[in-house]
Structures are given as structure tokens and as C-alpha cells.
Amino acid sequence: MSPAGPAWPRLRVLQALWALLVVLVAPWRLWAIKNTQECTWQVVLNNFETVGKKDASDRFVDQEPLYTVDKVFSLLVDAPIDPDEVRGLVSGKRERSWTCTPLGSGHLPTLSLQTYLGFPYYLKINYSCKGELFNLIPRYFVNVPSRPLWYTVDQTPVFILGGIPEEKAILLTDTNFKDFFLVELSIDSCWVGSFYCPQASFTATIFDAIATESTLFIRQNQLIYYFTGTYTTLHESNRGSERWVRVLANECIKKLCPVHFHSNGSEYVMALTTGKHEGYVHFGTITDGRVSFELLPRQRSVCNGILVVNCSITWAVFIAGDYNLLLLVEIEDPSTRKYFQVVSYDLVSDYLVVLYTIPEFIPDARGLEFLMILGTESYTNFPMVPKGMSYNPYNNLLFIWGNFLLQSYNSENFIYLADFPKELSIKYLVNSFYGDTAIVTETEEIWYLLEGSYQVYKLFPSKGWEVHVSLQVMQQSSLYAPNETMVTLFYEDNKLYQLVYLIDHQQGRLVKRLVPVEQLLMYQQISNDYLLERQGSHLTLSFTNFCPFTVMRLRDLPNPQIYTRQERYRAQPPRVLEPWGFHSDNSLAVYQGLVYYLLWLHSKYDKPYADPVHDPTWRWWKNKKQDQDYYFYLASNWRSAGSVHVDMASYEKIYDLKAENELPERIFLDKGTSYRFSVFLTAREPEPVHAGASFQVQSQVGLAVVLADPGCIEAVVKEKVLVNRNSVLFWVTLSDKRFCFDQGISGHHLMKTSMLVKVVGSSGHCFQNTHQGPRMQGNLMVPVLIGCPPGKRLAFDITYTLEYNRLQNKHYFDCVHVDPEMPCFLFRDVFYPFFLIQDLVTGDSGSFQGSYVLKVVGGGPTLDTVKEYSEEDIYRFNSPLDKTDSLIWTTRNTTTTEDSAFNILSHNSLGIEWLCLENSPCHDTIPHSIFASEFFFKVLVSNRGVDKSTYCDYQLTFLLHIHGLPLSARRAFLILMVSASLFVGLVILYIISCLLSPYVVKACNVLCWKINNIIAWESYTYSTASDTRAFSNTSGTKSGESSGGISRVVSKVAEENKTDTKETLRKKSIS
């Protein structure tokens, strides 16, 4: 089971010395990181108040108040992080909703990836508790048959399990049954039984339940339901039930068939019909939460297609790689008995063909372990009753099961496995898809098959099981009880687990326990193959070991990350600066927040412009690296704020993980790449060295490499016999043949195949004791995925582009307003772009040496006005065949695509010349200031169809800032005329002002004199009037005389002043 969300897989922690290892995956999800270290950090989901408490794991809906988080991080004033960015993470509520766990009015736990919502939560689990939670009463489980657990492998966030007798309830878990909930479903339970729906009775039991990443499917009677809502609507009690939708309402559905793997960006489910549409399959496709069904075959029923009158489809298997359906069809022939056929239906061509007709009776193997069905063998009187099929897409192994077991690698030639008794009937198969298959019979027996071998082993009940249970009871294990009922059987991390209902001391409980397959096989081997020999007076017990080797080691293993494509980070906890040295609630919350911040840096790193340092953690410390010694000084003196010290060097991405003497969990192969390792085997019985000893050692141990698709991959095995050590060293090289896959996006639409490394005669006989218990040896299956590996991307190498352009153009002019994240390029300069192929897993970053096509797909004069161009516009703006004067750019390279529509560039091209012709969008761009015009081009770079060196379809879209764009000739001429007119006008105005300046000055002087004279006259008049009034007041008797005298004096003075003024003006005019 996987967490919700393709962005980040399940968190596992390993790394001694207090190191936290965070495992992340790219567009294609990767899982199952093995814990090999004994010292680990426990990663759980906690509410803020329960951080640090033992066994605390909260489920909640409410968001943690931001002030509680800010209160903790506000203390880290001297930590090597940016508080503003951390605060931005807290406030940014970006949530990805998953429409995946539908339940109407029942208690519903829902799992969603809340990106930075409710910080410091990492993975947020929401619970919607509406309705009644059922108690686990014995009636629901005791003596109830087990049922299969169906889900989309590596995708499903929850498991669901039906089969609760006479109850509309399912068992639901989001922790692989570490805990679980029995939930009532709010569905209408209408029954469509009628003359075309042959069903005799009604029951509330839910028979089939399938969990996918984005929704759930259940079948009750002949009805199918799936959930259509989101997590938001699940929390609303008045709308939760409405979101359960009955699909195919007018159809009679007898069975749901799962599709275990997603492909082509979708998940699938199949519904088998009965009644009026007998012989058809409803093929369901789930894409982004939307469910659609198509009735197949499209033209006619399967019965008509294989030319029979009556038939019924018993089981269906979807092979995504071939887009093909395999149908197990039961045919009723009036003249003969019932018989079964395997029919292939091609979804593309709508073509039906019969691949194989299953024998009516079980073959007589005559003591053999297996029998090749050729048609010439003898048969018993036991009829073959097929019930279902199982398909492994990695090794193309198809099982047909019932009261027998047939296997085939090509769906046409089958092998009968005689070890499975014909008296039993298989109820369902459980496939690990890594080479192990468990079988559950109708009588609840458990059998085991190692794929690639032909021996079927009985695990329960068996002598080995009795020994194991006895030992567990002696150890007082709580996982075993005298009265128990198996609920289901499933694989988790390549280990087989049981979900069992135990009744102990009249108390019932559900437990999940490991099925020790290796120990059971060892017990059986010891109990069956022993010998008592008399030596003297006593008996000696000896055991026969059928393993052909004593030592098996894997050597010369390359670093696994380049093949497993798992991105890893090391994040050590902060140092607690307290006398007792224990972590507090604050320090644990800080640690969780720092890991959160690290994940944010990881997601932010995927951008078109490559950083100078190929490491997401570079931005963590790039602005505070120079202060590292200061932070260390504070920590050394116990003066760090908040009593917590964060070492900036303790957070890094791991690129050099070493192999641990075992093959990787899976291998990704790009075009022409290979994986090489060696196997060292020591034979069990050493022989004395003499002539022919090399042959004897070689004959005792043999290594076989089995390929699921030899037409696509090849294996070369070389051996070296070490006679003196009684050993053989094998070198194995697995390579891609370069022609089985087209180009694809990184991590998408990969071809599934596998490699099986098998030591001859070792299946079920060879075991290695480890600290985790015995482990099977000699049979190693590794899934191989062919295509573009996850975590590889194309990035714009802005650093080298700037350096090379400066060298070639002899200068470089950036924009006036410099943006370090997006430097500018001058329009008139030749533009030489360079790109990097960055491997986010291994840290490799090198120049892209392949060919590519560059197109301008959008643009605008400002960032806010950038718009996308249509396909027609993209052709006109970029194609050298354009005749409409719309080209934006051109190049002197002559290489074009096959249709000559676009130019093909490479790292040593002659550069790009900007044109911006008359009908292009960048033509005649008006500047918004006194500086030259600018334009933002949205550029698409793709190597699809032009680069034959890789399976990767690299596509990069980025903005390119160009400045200094020229104006059009018309607008330039207009601006020139306006500028010239203004200039001429200014010159004329200057000349006129020079000629008229003396007269203007003279007029100004006269004007000033007159103004001054008027002011003086007014002032003198006012002063004289004041003196006259004063004299009149002091000498009233002589007022008349005095007044007349003064008037004559004033008049005389005025006349004299006037005469002087005229004289002065006359002299000036003469001069």
C-alpha cells in the first residue's frame, strides 16, 4: 500500500548516528526501501501537542494554529534558514485532494497529501466520523471464508475488504492493517433482479471490493458502486452519501476483476456481466478520479466472435503493455460437455482470437512434478474446473487455476504443475510480483509456489506449521490462539502476511502476522529428509541438504541509485543544548519542520533554469554559509537561540549510496545501458584437485539467467572456475537492445520485464541465516523497466550560456533592471543556448549532446502579458518554410526535421539570430520607458523524434528575456520625423530669442523703471500727506497760510524733479 500522492512515497528512516533518510520519487512512483540498519528514527504522524509521546499517531481534520508553529520557529533567529521562507510555507495552503476513500455515513478515515497545510504536519490523515462504527463481533469473522485483497499495486492509499456476512460494511485500513476500521456503507442496496438478471436471492454482503488510487469499487448482489466525491465532501455529513454512485445501473454484474497495475496514466477495473449482456465485459477506466465504462467487444459478443451459441466469461485479465484482454470463457455445447477456452481480445483492432482450449480432464503426470501439455498425454477421470486467471506483467507468467494449476509464458503453451492435488480447489492467488505466489484453497489451505520452478509447497496445515506454532506458543506470542480464522492473505514488501481473527479467553481481535515461508520450508525439508545411522551402540541423526552450494555471494555490484532511481536525503536531527541532552517537544517540532523545509526545497528545485550547484540543498545555506563558524561558536558555548542548534552541513542529498551485497529492488534501463554484477558460488562437496577437477566443480553448480523478453534485453554470462577454492565466479551483464521502446517522458509508460538469476537445483532448498531470520537463496528475480528512467530532466544551462555568449559576441549587456534568476540577452547578438541533462538521483549534470528542436510557443512584452500561441502560429513563427514574414528567429544550420518544418539544433550549432519579422508578435514592440524595448519569449525545447541516443523525451519550457528590440521602419521614421521637427523648432526658437533679446531687455528695463517710479511716487505722496496733517494739528491759527506755502513748495520741488528727469532722458538718448 502506498501513501496518497505521486509526489512523495512512504517515508522510511534508516541511517545510524541519528540520520534521517528521506526517500523521494519523480513523476513515476518507487517503493519498498529495505531497513538494513538497526538504529532508526521512528517516523509517525502526530498532532503538535503529542509530539514526542511514545506510540503516538494522531488522525485529525483541524489545521494546527499557525501561531504555535511560529512560536517555535521564531526562536531560531540564528539558524541557517530563512524565516520568511518558512513562514511562507506555513501560510501557503496548497492541498492536493484525492478522491479515494468513499464511505457514506460510516466512520471514514481518509488519507491525503496536504502540501504545507497545517505545518508542521507532513502527511495529513483526515477522518470523517459520520455514523456508526461497527464492533468487531465474532459473527463477522468466525468461520467466514477468507477473501482476496484487491488493489492497485504501489498506488493505493488504503485497503478495503468486503465479505462481512449480511452487513453493508467493509474493513478499511490505511496502515496495511496495522490498524483498521469496520465501516458501514450508506448505499441504496436496490436489487435489479428480473427476468434478465438471474439471481435467486438477495444479500447485504459486499462480495467484491477493489481499491485504486483515486476511488473505491464495491459489488453488492449485481450492483456496482464507486465514490465520486473528494475529501472535502467526505467531511460533510449531508453530502457524503450522495457521492456514492451506482454505475451500470441497468446491467447485471456477476463479478469484478481487478487490474493490479496502472498504465498510460490511468487505472482500470473490469465488470463481468450476466443476463442480457452475457459474453461482454464492461471495461472501466479511472483517470484523474473520473470513471468511465466501455462495453467490450465493440462490434459483437465474445460468443459470436468465437462462433459458439452459449458462452459465459468467467474471468478477465488486462495486459496493459499489449492493450489486450485475456478472457477465460466457459462454453456450453449441447452435443458435448462444458469446456473452457482462453480468448484474446485486442482493444485497438477489436479482434478476437482463441489462444488455448483447456483440457476437459486433469492430465496424468505419472509421478512427475510438471507436465507439458501437448495433447498427446493421458488424462485422469477428474474434470478440470477453471475458476480464474492471474498474470504477472514483469515475467509474462499467466496462471489458470481451479482444481489444478496451469502456467504459461506466452498464453499459448501451458505447463501442468502436478504437485498441487487435484482434490483441492483454489479460491484465489496472491502474487507478490517479485517471483512469489501464494495459493489459498476453498478449505483455507495455504500453498506456495516460487515462480520459475515447478514445485508447489504446502504451508498450512503442515508439520512445519505445527512446529512453528508450538515454538510461538512457548514464547507466549500474542499472534496465535487455539481458535482463529484467516480473513485474507497479502504481500507487503515481498513478505507474506495473514490477517487473522483470533479468539483468546473469549476475546476476539484482528491481528496481522507474518507467514514465515522460509522457516516452514526449512522445517519441512528437515522433517522429510533425514537419516538415522547406527554408529556402534547408538543411532546418529543426519540430514540431507539438497542445496547445491554452500556459499553464494553477489559481488562487483554498482551503486544502486542509478538503477533504482530513488532520491535520498540525509537529515540529521538538531542538537539539543540542554544539560540532560534529551529532545523536547520544541526540538522535535523543529526537526519535523526542517524535514518539511527540505522537502519544499526538493519540490522547488524542479525549475527550467539550472542552479550553479546541482543540489537542492544548495539554496538552504547559500546565503549563510559565511556565518557557519559563528553558528558553531554559539552552539559550542550553549548560546544558540531556543537551546537548539541546526548544523547546515547535516542536511544533504545522498548521491553515493553503496550497494549492500544484494541486487537492487528494480532496474531501470535507458537506451543501450547495461547492468553488470558477479555471482560467487562454492560447491557443496569439494573434490580433490586432479585432471578434470574444473569440469567437476563446474558440473556441480550452474547459473541460469532467464529473461522475460529476450527480444528487448539480453544477458551475457561468463564464468571462471576457481578449482583451488571449489568455486565458480560468474559475471552477468544485462543490456538493453535499443529497439523495444519509443521515446517517453521521464518515468512514464515504461515497459515491464524482468530478469531471473537462478542457481540450478536451488529452488526451495537453499537458505541463508541472517539477523532478520532465514532468507531464501538461489532464485533472484529483479523487475526491469525499459524506457526513460525517473529523475532525469533537461535544464537551461544559464551559467555556461552567459559565458559562451560573452566570448562569442565580445560583450554582454544585461537589462537595466537586473534579475539574477532570468538574465537578459541582446537582440542584435547571436544567441547560443546550451542545456544540461541533470540526473536528480545520482547528481550527475552534463551538457546535453543530443539534437533538439527549439520553438517559440508563447510570449509577450511583459511577464503579465505572456500568452500561448496556437499551433498555426507556432508553425509560422518558427518554421523555415514560412512565407508570411512571421519568423521570430532563424539559424544558419541547414539540418531540419524529416518534413523540413523545423530546424534541428545541437550543442555545436551556429547559434540563433533574432528576426521578429513584420507579422511576428515581437515586431514593432513599443518601449514602456526611455530604455529599449523588451520581450519575453516562451521557448519549448524537445528532442522527440530527432535524438536517437536515448529513450527520454526531454521537454523543457522556459522564458527567455530579450532586450534591445528594434522598432519597425515606419515607426522609426515617424519617431525620426517627430524628433527632427522638435529639434528644428528648438533651433529656430533659439535664433529668434537671440535676435530679439536686446529689445526685450530694454523693454523690461523701462517697465521696471516705471514700476519703481510709481512705487516711489506713491510712497512720497503718502509721506507728505502725513506731515501736512501733523502741522495742521499743532498750528491751527495759521493753517491757511501754511497750507498754501507748503503747497507752493511741493509744487516747485515736483517741477524741478520733472525737469531733471527729462534732462537725464535727453542725455541718454543723445549718447
Side-chain angles (χ1 to χ4, degrees):
M1 187 181 70
S2 312
W8 301 304
R10 179 185 323 170
L11 212 59
R12 294 275 183 137
V13 255
L14 38 107
Q15 206 66 19
L17 303 176
W18 304 96
L20 176 67
L21 180 63
V22 180
V23 181
L24 299 173
V25 165
W28 202 81
R29 297 164 175 82
L30 302 178
W31 320 97
I33 308 304
K34 298 182 179 179
N35 290 327
T36 59
Q37 304 290 339
E38 297 181 0
C39 181
T40 61
W41 270 77
Q42 180 67 30
V43 177
V44 295
L45 182 68
N46 285 341
N47 206 333
F48 189 85
E49 288 77 10
T50 59
V51 170
K53 293 185 179 180
K54 185 178 180 181
D55 298 330
S57 180
D58 299 325
R59 292 168 174 83
F60 41 81
V61 176
D62 299 332
Q63 177 183 341
E64 183 67 38
L66 299 183
Y67 70 86
T68 57
V69 181
D70 289 338
K71 180 178 64 176
V72 175
F73 276 88
S74 62
L75 301 176
L76 304 180
V77 294
D78 60 346
I81 58 175
D82 188 348
D84 294 334
E85 287 189 346
V86 175
R87 190 173 296 109
L89 295 182
V90 177
S91 59
K93 298 182 180 180
R94 292 176 290 171
E95 173 181 356
R96 179 175 180 180
S97 298
W98 298 83
T99 60
C100 87
T101 50
L103 293 181
S105 61
H107 273 239
L108 176 61
T110 64
L111 183 66
S112 64
L113 187 63
Q114 306 272 347
T115 308
Y116 319 132
L117 176 60
F119 193 91
Y121 298 146
Y122 167 50
L123 191 61
K124 186 169 183 179
I125 300 179
N126 296 332
Y127 273 75
S128 175
C129 299
K130 309 290 193 300
E132 295 293 333
L133 178 63
F134 280 24
N135 295 322
L136 300 181
I137 60 178
R139 180 177 67 85
Y140 296 153
F141 301 101
V142 175
N143 297 325
V144 175
S146 67
R147 45 276 196 196
L149 184 65
W150 289 339
Y151 56 93
T152 306
V153 177
D154 292 342
Q155 297 291 119
T156 307
V158 296
F159 290 160
I160 59 172
L161 200 61
I164 309 299
E166 299 302 329
E167 295 290 348
K168 296 186 295 183
I170 59 174
L171 199 64
L172 186 147
T173 178
D174 54 12
T175 59
N176 289 35
F177 292 106
K178 184 179 179 181
D179 51 30
F180 34 79
F181 309 90
L182 190 63
V183 185
E184 180 189 16
L185 303 187
S186 182
I187 53 179
D188 50 23
S189 299
C190 295
W191 185 36
V192 294
S194 64
F195 66 91
Y196 63 83
C197 280
Q199 183 164 331
S201 61
F202 169 82
T203 178
T205 307
I206 294 174
F207 293 102
D208 301 329
I210 301 176
T212 67
E213 183 184 19
S214 53
T215 190
L216 297 178
F217 290 89
I218 59 171
R219 180 181 69 87
Q220 183 194 44
N221 299 310
Q222 296 170 332
L223 306 177
I224 300 178
Y225 299 85
Y226 77 96
F227 193 71
T228 60
T230 63
Y231 283 100
T232 304
T233 58
L234 285 173
H235 301 155
E236 301 177 11
S237 58
N238 60 337
R239 297 176 59 189
S241 300
E242 299 174 359
R243 294 299 180 177
W244 276 105
V245 172
R246 177 153 53 99
V247 67
L248 304 176
N250 297 323
E251 300 291 334
C252 302
I253 306 302
K254 63 180 179 181
K255 185 179 297 182
L256 288 179
C257 294
V259 178
H260 295 289
F261 289 91
H262 71 101
S263 61
N264 305 316
S266 300
E267 298 171 283
Y268 306 95
V269 66
M270 292 172 290
L272 306 184
T273 64
T274 186
K276 63 178 180 179
H277 281 152
E278 188 78 61
Y280 287 91
V281 177
H282 289 280
F283 187 73
T285 303
I286 307 103
T287 305
D288 296 332
R290 297 186 299 271
V291 179
S292 61
F293 280 90
E294 181 182 8
L295 188 64
L296 300 176
R298 300 182 183 92
Q299 301 297 330
R300 52 183 178 175
S301 69
V302 174
C303 305
N304 294 333
I306 60 177
L307 304 178
V308 297
V309 178
N310 295 319
C311 74
S312 176
I313 300 176
T314 304
W315 200 270
V317 169
F318 176 56
I319 304 177
D322 301 330
Y323 218 62
N324 188 38
L325 283 180
L326 291 183
L327 308 174
L328 180 60
V329 182
E330 179 184 0
I331 301 171
E332 297 183 7
D333 193 338
S335 60
T336 61
R337 297 182 180 181
K338 295 180 181 180
Y339 63 97
F340 292 81
Q341 289 183 335
V342 179
V343 179
S344 173
Y345 172 70
D346 193 313
L347 276 75
V348 177
S349 63
D350 197 34
Y351 178 70
L352 279 167
V353 61
V354 177
L355 297 180
Y356 182 69
T357 300
I358 299 175
E360 294 186 27
F361 298 96
I362 293 178
D364 185 3
R366 299 182 179 180
L368 300 176
E369 292 181 351
F370 66 94
L371 186 66
M372 187 73 182
I373 305 296
L374 299 175
T376 59
E377 56 279 346
S378 60
Y379 292 89
T380 65
N381 295 326
F382 280 83
M384 271 192 168
V385 185
K387 298 176 63 177
M389 297 188 297
S390 176
Y391 179 77
N392 188 342
Y394 287 111
N395 57 10
N396 303 323
L397 184 59
L398 174 68
F399 287 108
I400 302 177
W401 46 267
N403 61 339
F404 62 92
L405 197 59
L406 294 177
Q407 72 175 30
S408 173
Y409 287 96
N410 59 5
S411 305
E412 297 180 6
N413 301 309
F414 284 83
I415 296 175
Y416 169 66
L417 303 182
D419 280 354
F420 184 79
K422 56 184 176 296
E423 295 80 11
L424 298 177
S425 179
I426 298 175
K427 181 161 53 176
Y428 58 90
L429 296 187
V430 183
N431 202 323
S432 71
F433 301 103
Y434 284 87
D436 305 277
T437 300
I439 304 167
V440 180
T441 68
E442 296 288 352
T443 57
E444 305 299 342
E445 294 185 6
I446 303 176
W447 293 68
Y448 173 78
L449 171 66
L450 189 63
E451 295 180 4
S453 67
Y454 306 105
Q455 293 178 324
V456 185
Y457 303 92
K458 186 178 181 179
L459 301 182
F460 171 82
S462 64
K463 294 182 179 179
W465 184 265
E466 294 175 359
V467 173
H468 173 72
V469 172
S470 299
L471 295 176
Q472 296 299 317
V473 172
M474 292 174 60
Q475 298 176 6
Q476 298 182 350
S477 173
S478 61
L479 301 179
Y480 296 85
N483 189 357
E484 61 183 40
T485 301
M486 184 174 70
V487 179
T488 190
L489 195 70
F490 61 96
Y491 275 95
E492 177 188 346
D493 295 340
N494 298 335
K495 295 183 181 297
L496 186 62
Y497 287 89
Q498 275 183 309
L499 185 65
V500 185
Y501 186 79
L502 305 179
I503 296 182
D504 192 9
H505 299 96
Q506 298 182 349
Q507 295 292 328
R509 55 194 173 93
L510 275 174
V511 299
K512 169 189 172 183
R513 70 188 183 194
L514 177 69
V515 179
V517 176
E518 292 82 2
Q519 292 183 5
L520 296 177
L521 295 179
M522 290 179 65
Y523 294 155
Q524 292 184 19
Q525 181 176 332
I526 294 174
S527 62
N528 295 331
D529 302 307
Y530 64 90
L531 181 64
L532 286 174
E533 295 180 345
R534 180 171 296 277
Q535 295 184 358
S537 61
H538 61 277
L539 295 176
T540 301
L541 180 64
S542 62
F543 299 94
T544 302
N545 195 327
F546 292 97
C547 184
F549 57 85
T550 59
V551 176
M552 178 180 178
R553 296 194 186 101
L554 298 177
R555 295 181 172 181
D556 305 317
L557 293 167
N559 290 349
Q561 287 178 282
I562 189 174
Y563 298 101
T564 61
R565 311 306 301 172
Q566 292 169 339
E567 299 185 58
R568 301 190 176 205
Y569 290 86
R570 180 178 291 110
Q572 296 182 357
R575 179 184 173 188
V576 180
L577 304 178
E578 297 289 352
W580 47 85
F582 294 112
H583 280 276
S584 62
D585 293 348
N586 285 349
S587 64
L588 292 177
V590 167
Y591 189 26
Q592 187 175 6
L594 293 176
V595 174
Y596 212 157
Y597 184 62
L598 185 65
L599 296 174
W600 178 75
L601 289 174
H602 172 84
S603 63
K604 186 180 179 181
Y605 185 67
D606 188 12
K607 58 180 184 177
Y609 281 67
D611 282 338
V613 179
H614 181 37
D615 190 341
T617 60
W618 171 75
R619 288 183 172 270
W620 186 302
W621 46 259
K622 67 181 181 70
N623 294 328
K624 293 193 175 183
K625 184 68 174 179
Q626 67 276 10
D627 302 327
Q628 184 176 8
D629 294 337
Y630 169 69
Y631 299 136
F632 179 76
Y633 167 78
L634 293 178
S636 301
N637 291 274
W638 290 39
R639 294 184 178 275
S640 297
S643 298
V644 174
H645 171 60
V646 180
D647 185 5
M648 65 181 66
S650 299
Y651 295 80
E652 61 180 348
K653 193 167 186 179
I654 302 174
Y655 293 121
D656 57 349
L657 189 69
K658 303 301 180 183
E660 297 180 351
N661 298 320
E662 61 182 9
L663 292 177
E665 183 184 358
R666 54 176 57 85
I667 295 175
F668 288 85
L669 290 180
D670 198 355
K671 195 169 189 176
T673 57
S674 60
Y675 181 83
R676 190 174 188 270
F677 63 99
S678 63
V679 181
F680 177 83
L681 294 173
T682 300
R684 174 158 297 280
E685 297 179 0
E687 297 289 340
V689 179
H690 54 79
S694 174
F695 172 77
Q696 294 180 7
V697 175
Q698 189 174 4
S699 62
Q700 293 174 15
V701 289
L703 188 72
V705 178
V706 182
L707 303 178
D709 294 281
C712 299
I713 55 178
E714 62 180 353
V716 178
V717 181
K718 297 180 180 180
E719 65 178 358
K720 180 181 180 181
V721 179
L722 307 175
V723 178
N724 59 337
R725 302 178 62 180
N726 195 39
S727 304
V728 183
L729 183 63
F730 297 92
W731 283 280
V732 181
T733 303
L734 177 68
S735 304
D736 170 68
K737 286 189 173 181
R738 304 181 67 92
F739 52 80
C740 269
F741 190 82
D742 196 4
Q743 285 181 294
I745 301 174
S746 176
H748 289 71
H749 312 301
L750 301 169
M751 175 184 174
K752 296 182 177 68
T753 184
S754 66
M755 172 187 67
L756 175 63
V757 180
K758 180 179 180 180
V759 180
V760 179
S762 65
S763 298
H765 301 300
C766 299
F767 304 92
Q768 179 187 22
N769 291 321
T770 67
H771 68 281
Q772 296 179 345
R775 184 177 65 176
M776 198 173 298
Q777 276 192 314
N779 213 76
L780 304 174
M781 176 187 170
V782 182
V784 179
L785 296 149
I786 302 175
C788 183
K792 299 187 72 173
R793 73 180 190 116
L794 185 68
F796 182 35
D797 189 359
I798 185 62
T799 304
Y800 186 71
T801 298
L802 288 173
E803 179 182 347
Y804 190 83
N805 278 263
R806 181 183 289 108
L807 179 64
Q808 294 296 318
N809 296 316
K810 311 302 181 184
H811 60 261
Y812 172 72
F813 298 104
D814 204 343
C815 289
V816 176
H817 303 289
V818 178
D819 182 2
E821 296 290 335
M822 189 188 301
C824 296
F825 295 92
L826 192 61
F827 177 86
R828 68 171 183 266
D829 289 343
V830 179
F831 177 60
Y832 301 92
F834 290 92
F835 302 93
L836 291 173
I837 297 297
Q838 291 188 331
D839 194 325
L840 303 181
V841 178
T842 64
D844 295 335
S845 180
S847 177
F848 176 52
Q849 304 292 319
S851 301
Y852 62 90
V853 173
L854 185 146
K855 302 176 185 177
V856 177
V857 296
T862 63
L863 286 174
D864 297 332
T865 59
V866 173
K867 65 177 183 179
E868 303 284 342
Y869 299 149
S870 64
E871 291 295 331
E872 294 79 6
D873 290 339
I874 293 174
Y875 179 85
R876 292 190 300 109
F877 299 157
N878 299 274
S879 176
L881 301 179
D882 177 67
K883 305 299 181 182
T884 62
D885 291 335
S886 302
L887 279 180
I888 293 178
W889 62 277
T890 187
T891 180
R892 286 176 288 175
N893 287 38
T894 58
T895 307
T896 61
T897 55
E898 294 181 358
D899 56 359
S900 301
F902 299 100
N903 291 301
I904 297 178
L905 305 177
S906 65
H907 68 286
N908 49 7
S909 296
L910 300 178
I912 291 175
E913 298 178 9
W914 302 106
L915 297 178
C916 289
L917 297 183
E918 182 177 357
N919 295 320
S920 66
C922 57
H923 179 73
D924 195 21
T925 302
I926 303 174
H928 297 280
S929 64
I930 62 173
F931 303 109
S933 302
E934 299 179 347
F935 206 88
F936 293 87
F937 292 111
K938 191 173 185 178
V939 179
L940 171 64
V941 176
S942 174
N943 70 330
R944 184 169 183 83
V946 298
D947 184 13
K948 306 301 181 182
S949 63
T950 178
Y951 288 138
C952 291
D953 178 9
Y954 294 121
Q955 291 189 6
L956 172 66
T957 303
F958 64 98
L959 291 176
L960 190 63
H961 192 181
I962 304 297
H963 70 117
L965 276 72
L967 299 172
S968 64
R970 180 178 179 181
R971 188 178 299 276
F973 179 74
L974 177 62
I975 293 176
L976 176 63
M977 293 301 296
V978 172
S979 301
S981 300
L982 291 175
F983 178 75
V984 171
L986 291 175
V987 170
I988 295 175
L989 181 61
Y990 175 75
I991 294 173
I992 292 175
S993 63
C994 291
L995 294 176
L996 298 179
S997 60
Y999 301 98
V1000 173
V1001 171
K1002 183 178 180 179
C1004 290
N1005 291 334
V1006 172
L1007 181 61
C1008 291
W1009 176 86
K1010 288 184 177 182
I1011 293 174
N1012 292 332
N1013 189 41
I1014 293 173
I1015 293 174
W1017 173 256
E1018 292 291 335
S1019 176
Y1020 181 80
T1021 303
Y1022 177 77
S1023 301
T1024 305
S1026 299
D1027 294 341
T1028 302
R1029 287 194 299 271
F1031 180 78
S1032 177
N1033 292 333
T1034 58
S1035 184
T1037 57
K1038 299 181 178 180
S1039 58
E1041 297 177 0
S1042 300
S1043 229
I1046 292 171
S1047 297
R1048 288 191 296 267
V1049 172
V1050 170
S1051 178
K1052 183 177 180 180
V1053 170
E1055 290 178 357
E1056 291 178 354
N1057 290 338
K1058 185 176 181 181
T1059 303
D1060 294 340
T1061 301
K1062 290 182 178 180
E1063 185 67 21
T1064 302
L1065 291 176
R1066 184 180 61 83
K1067 292 180 178 180
K1068 287 184 177 180
S1069 62
I1070 294 174
S1071 61

